[in-house]
Amino acid sequence: MIDLLSAKCEPINPKDKPLIIPTIESYMSVLKGWEVPLNYQSIEKTFQFKNYYQTVAFVNAITWVAHKEDHHPEICFGYNQCKVTLTTHEIKGLSMNDFIMAAKIDALLEA
């Protein structure tokens, strides 16, 4: 298994295939708090904060990482929570990029 934090998101070829379930499960075991729906086409996590300012600061940090990695999550947020969903639209499923982004998003809160 690769070190997700040191890895970089790679361009996706539309002919690439989504990751298979055993590979997805393997990476899910190292990501704390992330969930995968039954269709195995995305991963998601909801983050809780004390207030709106912390939430918006986190969303802004995610957008910086997403721009740097050129892999953009769906982000829904409110006063004190932020839900992040990752998928690779080009292949209609999960790629290594989704797990790299998840690890990098988690690392934002470890600083």
Side-chain angles (χ1 to χ4, degrees), residues 41-73:
Q41 291 185 346
S42 64
I43 56 175
E44 60 187 42
K45 183 175 181 177
T46 300
F47 298 86
Q48 299 291 326
F49 299 94
K50 290 182 181 179
N51 56 50
Y52 187 73
Y53 302 107
Q54 288 181 354
T55 306
V56 171
F58 183 66
V59 169
N60 287 334
I62 292 172
T63 60
W64 180 80
V65 173
H67 176 72
K68 186 176 168 188
E69 293 294 331
D70 196 25
H71 192 68
H72 304 89

Side-chain angles (χ1 to χ4, degrees), residues 52-99:
Y52 187 73
Y53 302 107
Q54 288 181 354
T55 306
V56 171
F58 183 66
V59 169
N60 287 334
I62 292 172
T63 60
W64 180 80
V65 173
H67 176 72
K68 186 176 168 188
E69 293 294 331
D70 196 25
H71 192 68
H72 304 89
E74 180 178 309
I75 304 170
C76 296
F77 70 97
Y79 175 77
N80 65 349
Q81 68 178 4
C82 171
K83 180 180 177 183
V84 178
T85 304
L86 291 159
T87 189
T88 302
H89 298 286
E90 293 91 340
I91 59 172
K92 297 178 176 63
L94 290 166
S95 72
M96 187 57 58
N97 290 351
D98 300 304
F99 293 97

